Amino acid sequence: MCDVREFNAGCEEEQISGLHHAVPIPKKFHEEKSMVRVGTVVRTLILCGMALTTLAFAKTDKSKTIVTYPSGFAVSQRLSDLPIDESMFATQEMPEPRPVPLRSHAVAGPWQQEDPVLQKEIKPFVSATTGVDFDGVGAQNYAPSDSNLAVGPNHIVETVNVRFAIYNKSGTILAGPTNLTTFFGALGGNCAAGASDPIVNYDRLADRWVISDVGINSPGTAFSECVAVSKTNDPTGTYFLYAYSFGGNLNDYPKLSVWPTASNSAYLATYNIFQGGATFLGADICAFDRTKMLAGAASPAQLCKMTPNTEGGYLPSDIDGPTPPVDGTPGLYLTWQNNNPGQLYLRKLTPNFAGGTATLSSPTTISVANENLACGNALNCVPQLGTTQTLDSLGDRLMYRFAVRHFADHDRAVVNHAVANGGQVAIRWYELYDPAGTVTLNQQGTFAPDATYRWMASIAEDQNGDIGLGYSASSSSINPAIRFTGRVPSDASGTMETEASLLVGSGSQSGNNLARWGDYTAMQVDPSDDCTFWYVDQYEKVTGSFNWSTNIGSFAFIGCSGSPNFTLTAVPNTLSISQGSSGTSTITVVPANGFTGSVTLSASGLPSGVTAAFVPNPTTTTSVLTLTASATAATGTSTVTITGTSGSLTPTTTLSLTVTQPSGPAVTLTPTSLAFGKVVVNTTSTGKNVTLANTGNATLVIASIKTSGDFAPVTSTKPCGSTLAAGKNCIIRVTFTPTQLGSRTGNITITDNASNTPQTVPLSGTGVLPATLTPTSATYAALTVGTTSSPKTFSLRNNQTVTLNNIVISTTGDFKVSTTTCTTSLAAKTNCSISVVFKPTAVGTRTGKLSAADDAANSPQSSSLTGTGK
């Protein structure tokens, strides 16, 4: 193996020297153990405290390309001939992914703070149908699972720690489970000694399979990346095997992907590089020579560039669908760089395998919503039913995969990571447009529909633009479960539909202080129909440790099928127009499965005063939508739904439309209505204010301010004149003098030179009597003559703004006041109560009256009383 910092014909190896100082192990990190084959040696790895100190490596120049050739090459046996691994090793916790730089520089926010893009809309149940579901490879006394899968036309290959197996799509096992060290055994060295962090990919355009892992020697002091490429499309057949040495530097948390451009086609890779397994040097951004690997050449190069040690946790772009990246498209690499402000970094690697060089771009910053790290920058916080053992959220990095798919209007990419939403762990997800060009964030959301913790997710997008998201779910009231959610293009931006279950766990992980869970999972889209999602994750059948199981489940959205179909996109999908003007958006018909029909477009959800026109309509490709707002169109933001109709197909997309007032004066009224409540007839209320503000950019000329109904203007502390300068305000003050009993309404009407003149403020109030006695009548239950009823309570109300005096309470007939809080006077706007009992003196209907005499204009107030003697 040659580790060359710059390609040269003699393949001279550049020596690197430097100082290394051990960093104490923080208590929050687990003791880590490394697996080897039979005769396992357990060792403790020193874990860096993530100080990310810059070390003086004399000749390390990160501007140069690191060119690595295989230290070993071999051809495997047929996988179907390899022995089934039924050996039982001592329980081993695999090396924990080292923290990436985000954890060291994350900006802490309030732990209980709600996520700013938390989905608050409750959607219908996810519009997908579950399909085949079966158990995959289980634990062989290793943890965590590192569950991963790839899907081909007829097969599923699953990798876990430390084994793999091959299934048909009904769940029948065709080969394995086999230990990865057995599979890579022909290479010898690190790849035959130990295995960790396996990944499997299906190369759709080549119809081949790629399996990789980290090879680790027995002392745990030397590391390799072990890569296998199938010789044919049969995953149970033979593979070309390659070992790429990293010497004493740990190539931690590797992720591989397929990027099949026509020239310089590559298998992309990312690693977090730790010197001696401890000191973080930076992320290696790499590309393998795919063409030579597919041909079985003995020495295909791996080209790498290293980032600064302030960056890590990158994911490589992984192509989905039948369309390869445009030739010359660089490999794309994405990381979650900062949480506050929220930032993703996107780098591009352009490999030149013939020249042995690669160019790495500077990072493009993609601004996203701020977030707090899951578990509040700690490792473990996910609760489980029946145990105090919490699980690791691995919340400092993006989660596998960074899936990219070509559509007619855009290349789209999806990715996710865990965040804190208040006190729980939730899933933040993103959809990017055109990541290889002028990248934009199309939508983002945080999925946390209840108090359950959700994490360890993987995301992908089908041919229709439906997005599938699978994940683990757990809380103190449920065992860890496997669930999924998703969205279709017509769903509101940033939202997922209500989740569904793939598997309900029946046990929790407990014992041996084992917090590790998953490390990663995988969501893949079936290439045979580009509709079916396959997801793998771990769970517990019974409570315990080192006894996890994996489940492979599938689902497909109802609207996605192999029959001809189409989706719609709107570019731009946000428009802002002022009253009296118009704006345009291009609507594109995106065909699927050979759709060639004509589509008739329509728009719904338009605000009042806005019209829509499509040219051309119908269309087979694109149409320009023109939205026109009248001078009196309703202002504000609305969601416009665009529907395409072709036969029975009716896909939709949405556009956010904001209608604003045009330039010039603009009137804002605060409040927008006044309610005076109850006022005594023919008396005048206290005045109430409306503030008139000129929020435009020109002088407002006020022609008149009028009131109607029982309402009248009075002088305010800041009266409105005939003009009002931009940015200034004045006060309109109004009183209410009801002329009748009951509800009274009116308006303030302002006539001016603003575009929405006249403006009105609705006014309301209720005319009431000076004093009232309620209820105005009461009926008592029949009683035996001479017995006394339970009391009924009446209320005397003084509606006036002055004290009610000279109050005298009296009754007639067989009715008597038992208790009262009323005295001879009653303060303004207050009540007193009167309790009255019934004591019949004769058989039959008995009537009487409760009266309150006072100095009110409507004195006396009275209530009719009825009872029956028996």
Side-chain angles (χ1 to χ4, degrees):
M1 186 281 292
C2 295
D3 184 350
V4 184
R5 302 297 161 174
E6 186 172 35
F7 178 82
N8 59 74
C11 193
E12 290 186 10
E13 191 170 349
E14 183 175 42
Q15 301 299 315
I16 299 175
S17 63
L19 300 175
H20 169 68
H21 299 281
V23 180
I25 302 173
K27 291 182 179 179
K28 67 180 181 179
F29 295 143
H30 301 297
E31 180 185 74
E32 300 181 48
K33 299 176 182 178
S34 176
M35 185 282 302
V36 297
R37 294 187 67 196
V38 178
T40 296
V41 177
V42 178
R43 64 179 179 87
T44 300
L45 293 177
I46 297 176
L47 179 59
C48 169
M50 290 308 299
L52 296 179
T53 307
T54 302
L55 300 180
F57 297 107
K59 293 187 179 180
T60 300
D61 184 349
K62 294 186 178 181
S63 68
K64 295 184 179 181
T65 303
I66 305 167
V67 184
T68 308
Y69 296 100
S71 59
F73 169 72
V75 178
S76 75
Q77 293 179 251
R78 286 186 54 83
L79 264 60
S80 56
D81 295 336
L82 291 176
I84 293 176
D85 181 12
E86 295 179 344
S87 58
M88 294 298 292
F89 300 97
T91 58
Q92 298 294 323
E93 182 177 350
M94 304 305 289
E96 184 170 9
R98 306 312 199 258
V100 294
L102 176 61
R103 190 170 292 281
S104 67
H105 66 241
V107 177
W111 171 238
Q112 298 298 327
Q113 176 176 292
E114 183 180 272
D115 189 283
V117 291
L118 175 67
Q119 175 181 331
K120 295 184 177 180
E121 180 182 359
I122 303 301
K123 303 289 291 183
F125 281 105
V126 61
S127 51
T129 303
T130 55
V132 175
D133 166 25
F134 58 92
D135 265 8
V137 181
Q140 195 77 318
N141 288 330
Y142 296 96
S145 65
D146 287 359
S147 55
N148 195 254
L149 61 75
V151 182
N154 303 298
H155 300 89
I156 295 172
V157 178
E158 181 191 19
T159 56
V160 300
N161 263 336
V162 288
R163 302 187 296 168
F164 70 101
I166 300 162
Y167 305 87
N168 65 22
K169 290 181 180 177
S170 299
T172 302
I173 194 164
L174 305 177
T178 297
N179 195 288
L180 286 161
T181 55
T182 303
F183 175 47
F184 285 109
L187 289 171
N190 299 336
C191 294
S196 183
D197 289 348
I199 293 288
V200 58
N201 302 94
Y202 173 66
D203 184 340
R204 178 172 180 167
L205 269 71
D207 198 14
R208 301 282 194 91
W209 302 83
V210 182
I211 301 173
S212 59
D213 69 16
V214 177
I216 309 171
N217 71 351
S218 295
T221 56
F223 308 92
S224 297
E225 183 68 13
C226 314
V227 183
V229 179
S230 67
K231 292 183 70 173
T232 69
N233 62 3
D234 180 5
T236 69
T238 57
Y239 285 69
F240 303 119
L241 306 178
Y242 300 94
Y244 292 83
S245 175
F246 283 79
N249 290 340
L250 170 62
N251 50 317
D252 192 37
Y253 207 69
K255 296 293 174 281
L256 269 70
S257 69
V258 180
W259 202 244
T261 50
S263 58
N264 284 299
S265 106
Y267 295 127
L268 306 181
T270 56
Y271 314 92
N272 298 318
I273 302 300
F274 289 82
Q275 185 188 38
T279 303
F280 182 64
L281 301 181
D284 264 1
I285 304 294
C286 301
F288 291 99
D289 189 336
R290 171 176 174 267
T291 301
K292 287 190 175 181
M293 285 182 148
L294 289 171
S299 58
Q302 177 182 227
L303 308 181
C304 297
K305 302 284 280 192
M306 182 175 280
T307 71
N309 64 3
T310 54
E311 300 174 30
Y314 276 91
L315 290 180
S317 52
D318 193 18
I319 195 70
D320 281 347
T323 306
V326 174
D327 193 29
T329 302
L332 311 175
Y333 302 80
L334 193 70
T335 190
W336 177 23
Q337 180 64 16
N338 291 302
N339 71 313
N340 195 350
Q343 292 177 329
L344 307 179
Y345 271 12
L346 176 68
R347 285 185 179 267
K348 301 174 183 179
L349 184 77
T350 304
N352 180 350
F353 293 110
T357 61
T359 302
L360 181 65
S361 72
S362 298
T364 296
T365 300
I366 304 169
S367 295
V368 297
N370 292 355
E371 59 268 295
N372 284 333
L373 263 63
C375 298
N377 207 23
L379 285 175
N380 314 324
C381 73
V382 178
Q384 309 173 83
L385 174 64
T387 178
T388 59
Q389 176 65 60
T390 55
L391 301 177
D392 186 356
S393 69
L394 207 61
D396 63 350
R397 67 196 68 200
L398 296 177
M399 299 308 295
Y400 182 82
R401 293 180 302 133
F402 175 29
V404 180
R405 182 183 284 269
H406 174 74
F407 290 86
D409 59 338
H410 295 283
D411 285 347
R412 307 182 193 181
V414 288
V415 74
N416 85 93
H417 60 83
V419 295
N421 175 58
Q424 72 191 108
V425 176
I427 299 168
R428 170 72 67 82
W429 60 275
Y430 309 101
E431 184 185 43
L432 307 177
Y433 274 3
D434 301 317
T438 304
V439 63
T440 58
L441 175 65
N442 181 51
Q443 58 179 324
Q444 60 182 326
T446 296
F447 187 69
D450 54 34
T452 299
Y453 288 56
R454 293 168 177 82
W455 83 112
M456 207 55 62
S458 187
I459 190 170
E461 194 162 5
D462 70 17
Q463 66 176 2
N464 276 9
D466 308 315
I467 295 176
L469 177 69
Y471 47 88
S472 292
S474 186
S475 73
S476 58
S477 59
I478 64 168
N479 303 118
I482 304 175
R483 297 180 183 178
F484 76 95
T485 184
R487 57 172 282 111
V488 297
S490 59
D491 287 330
S493 179
T495 64
M496 291 282 177
E497 297 173 348
T498 296
E499 68 188 353
S501 175
L502 283 173
L503 185 141
V504 176
S506 51
S508 294
Q509 183 168 283
S510 181
N512 293 291
N513 196 30
L514 184 59
R516 304 281 299 287
W517 186 270
D519 275 7
Y520 47 90
T521 62
M523 178 74 78
Q524 300 281 0
V525 181
D526 197 318
S528 63
D529 62 6
D530 268 323
C531 288
T532 302
F533 291 86
W534 292 90
Y535 181 65
V536 64
D537 199 349
Q538 77 173 77
Y539 73 100
E540 293 280 340
K541 290 182 178 178
V542 295
T543 296
S545 60
F546 299 99
N547 65 329
W548 47 263
S549 298
T550 64
N551 182 264
I552 298 170
S554 64
F555 62 92
F557 285 86
I558 295 170
C560 187
S561 66
S563 58
N565 206 337
F566 68 95
T567 58
L568 298 177
T569 62
V571 180
N573 61 3
T574 59
L575 278 180
S576 180
I577 58 177
S578 60
Q579 291 171 322
S581 65
S582 62
T584 62
S585 175
T586 299
I587 310 303
T588 301
V589 176
V590 183
N593 300 320
F595 176 82
T596 57
S598 181
V599 177
T600 300
L601 299 170
S602 60
S604 59
L606 296 170
S608 174
V610 175
T611 59
F614 297 89
V615 178
N617 194 20
T619 183
T620 57
T621 53
T622 62
S623 178
V624 175
L625 165 63
T626 301
L627 296 174
T628 303
S630 69
T632 58
T635 58
T637 300
S638 304
T639 298
V640 178
T641 299
I642 297 119
T643 301
T645 302
S646 182
S648 62
L649 303 175
T650 57
T652 62
T653 190
T654 59
L655 180 151
S656 178
L657 173 66
T658 301
V659 179
T660 60
Q661 294 179 344
S663 59
V667 172
T668 301
L669 297 168
T670 308
T672 56
S673 64
L674 291 178
F676 285 81
K678 296 178 180 179
V679 177
V680 174
V681 172
N682 295 322
T683 64
T684 300
S685 71
T686 302
K688 289 182 177 289
N689 294 338
V690 171
T691 298
L692 187 158
N694 181 1
T695 54
N697 55 13
T699 298
L700 179 72
V701 179
I702 302 173
S704 64
I705 300 176
K706 297 179 180 180
T707 60
S708 62
D710 292 345
F711 304 88
V714 294
T715 301
S716 75
T717 58
K718 194 176 183 181
C720 297
S722 60
T723 61
L724 185 63
K728 301 297 183 180
N729 62 64
C730 59
I731 296 174
I732 304 168
R733 189 168 178 83
V734 179
T735 59
F736 171 43
T737 306
T739 58
Q740 296 179 27
L741 294 174
S743 176
R744 311 297 290 162
T745 60
N747 289 299
I748 301 172
T749 301
I750 304 110
T751 304
D752 47 49
N753 65 333
S755 62
N756 64 334
T757 189
Q759 304 88 30
T760 59
V761 178
L763 308 172
S764 63
T766 303
V768 296
L769 295 169
T772 55
L773 183 64
T774 55
T776 57
S777 65
T779 300
Y780 290 76
L783 285 176
T784 302
V785 172
T787 60
T788 302
S789 72
S790 298
K792 290 185 179 291
T793 301
F794 300 79
S795 177
L796 178 64
R797 168 76 179 178
N798 179 11
N799 295 313
Q800 303 172 111
T801 58
V802 296
T803 301
L804 183 68
N805 293 307
N806 305 323
I807 300 172
V808 177
I809 307 297
S810 63
T811 58
T812 62
D814 292 346
F815 302 90
K816 180 180 179 182
V817 174
S818 59
T819 59
T820 182
T821 62
C822 299
T823 62
T824 58
S825 63
L826 183 61
K829 306 291 184 181
T830 61
N831 303 334
C832 63
S833 63
I834 307 160
S835 296
V836 178
V837 296
F838 169 47
K839 186 177 181 181
T841 57
V843 174
T845 300
R846 314 297 291 166
T847 61
K849 183 178 291 187
L850 169 66
S851 298
D854 44 54
D855 65 354
N858 66 324
S859 177
Q861 302 82 38
S862 63
S863 295
S864 299
L865 308 174
T866 303
T868 302
K870 62 178 182 178

